[in-house]
Amino acid sequence: MEWLTNLSNAIEYIENNLDKEISYDEAARIACCSTYYFQRMFTYVAGITLADYIRRRRMSQAAFELQRTEKKVVDVAFEYGYSSPTSFNRAFQSVHGITPAAAKSRGSLLNAYPPIKFSVEVTGGSAMSYHIEDKEEMRIVGIRTPLVEDMEENHRNVPEFWNNTLKGAGFSQICGLSTEEPKGILGITVYENPQNFFYYIAAATDAPVPVGMYEYKIPAATWVVFENDGRYKESVQSVFKRFYKEWLLFSGYEYAGLPDIEVYPISDGKAINGYSQVWIAVKKEKEN
């Protein structure tokens, strides 16, 4: 569970710098992972994006400052990293529903968001169907769209990419490429660095690369494969969340940092429900 300790240390760094510049890169370094992976892991474990968490914590502290001191709104805005009163006002209202000036009045209703504390939760009852599979190098071919390290923007762009792909002629072409395991249409997030960061809609194949498509080779690895039934988006996102919050804590494995793979059955693009899988590369935990 070393990753949980690292994540808690990163949160401590954030808390100690709410009134200073917060570096996502530094938080990720403390958490011993890439900036992208840190944001992704944080979102699934905390249930909120890193950007939203920092905004809520800063605005919670700003509200306390406004009510217990005589500081001007502009000074508090500057203290919490806002050079523009307008942007501070917008952020404050998004958290509290009232303006910073109104928050100075006694009796104003405000929202306080306490710091997140990560610990092992007692959950249970709901089984996760999975198997472990060792697989040689996997070659995928398909189309891709660039991603950024802002998770919120990716969450908006990836569904749009899927919608456009399902409506286009390229979808059936990708379906025809599926010759290797895992069979089906694959949704794959590939992060190498901020400049080489893509989401692929592809197939595992030994076929040549069609014009306008790309190939990527995923190294040999051990994979935990979660079996899934239900509405695709909710089921897949739920698997990632439970992987971090439940399965990983007690499995004796740790995340391997390879591309995550969503596997969907081949269809005409109109299906809403069905069987799917999530493949996540893992490795055995280091012994202390």
Side-chain angles (χ1 to χ4, degrees):
M1 302 181 192
E2 182 180 357
W3 70 271
L4 198 59
T5 300
N6 294 337
L7 187 56
S8 296
N9 291 338
I11 294 299
E12 183 178 359
Y13 158 76
I14 290 170
E15 288 298 316
N16 291 336
N17 289 277
L18 290 175
D19 59 349
K20 304 179 186 69
E21 182 179 354
I22 294 174
S23 167
Y24 283 19
D25 292 339
E26 177 62 14
R29 185 194 67 77
I30 294 170
C32 300
C33 58
S34 70
T35 302
Y36 160 72
Y37 176 55
F38 174 66
Q39 291 186 76
R40 180 182 177 90
M41 176 173 59
F42 182 94
T43 298
Y44 285 124
V45 175
I48 182 176
T49 66
L50 181 60
D52 276 342
Y53 174 74
I54 292 173
R55 179 165 54 249
R56 288 182 181 184
R57 287 293 299 130
R58 279 179 163 160
M59 293 306 100
S60 292
Q61 294 304 107
F64 289 135
E65 291 274 341
L66 289 168
Q67 287 212 319
R68 73 170 183 251
T69 72
E70 297 301 320
K71 292 180 179 179
K72 296 179 180 179
V73 170
V74 66
D75 293 332
V76 174
F78 183 76
E79 181 179 347
Y80 287 94
Y82 291 84
S83 57
S84 163
T86 301
S87 59
F88 177 68
N89 185 74
R90 188 183 305 115
F92 195 91
Q93 288 198 65
S94 72
V95 172
H96 298 289
I98 61 174
T99 65
K104 277 186 164 293
S105 302
R106 292 289 183 182
S108 297
L109 185 63
L110 299 164
N111 295 314
Y113 290 93
I116 285 177
K117 303 290 184 183
F118 293 109
S119 62
V120 177
E121 294 183 27
V122 178
T123 58
S126 180
M128 297 184 74
S129 299
Y130 76 93
H131 68 271
I132 301 293
E133 182 165 330
D134 293 316
K135 187 162 179 53
E136 295 301 315
E137 180 182 82
M138 189 186 310
R139 175 179 177 269
I140 64 158
V141 173
I143 59 176
R144 69 188 189 187
T145 187
L147 298 179
V148 295
E149 291 196 330
D150 183 338
M151 292 292 291
E152 292 176 283
E153 185 172 340
N154 293 337
H155 287 163
R156 291 190 296 269
N157 292 341
V158 168
E160 183 179 353
F161 180 51
W162 268 106
N163 289 336
N164 292 336
T165 300
L166 291 171
K167 294 174 184 176
F171 181 73
S172 59
Q173 189 177 15
I174 296 172
C175 290
L177 291 173
S178 181
T179 58
E180 304 289 327
E181 294 293 336
K183 294 288 183 65
I185 296 297
L186 313 179
I188 305 176
T189 301
V190 175
Y191 178 92
E192 293 187 350
N193 55 60
Q195 290 71 45
N196 192 2
F197 187 14
F198 297 95
Y199 184 88
Y200 286 76
I201 296 177
T205 185
D206 57 2
V209 182
V211 175
M213 293 192 185
Y214 302 87
E215 75 169 359
Y216 184 82
K217 294 179 180 179
I218 301 173
T222 297
W223 301 84
V224 54
V225 181
F226 293 100
E227 313 290 334
N228 219 11
D229 286 300
R231 186 176 293 271
Y232 294 148
K233 181 178 178 181
E234 289 84 351
S235 296
V236 168
Q237 299 307 313
S238 175
V239 166
F240 283 121
K241 181 177 180 178
R242 294 188 66 196
F243 168 75
Y244 290 117
K245 296 189 72 172
E246 300 176 34
W247 193 90
L248 201 59
L249 290 174
F250 307 105
S251 65
Y253 289 93
E254 59 185 46
Y255 185 72
L258 295 181
D260 300 322
I261 304 173
E262 309 152 25
V263 183
Y264 302 104
I266 292 176
S267 69
D268 60 5
K270 297 180 181 179
I272 295 176
N273 298 289
Y275 172 80
S276 61
Q277 294 180 334
V278 174
W279 289 50
I280 305 175
V282 294
K283 56 187 178 182
K284 291 183 179 179
E285 280 186 334
K286 298 176 182 177
E287 295 184 3
N288 296 328

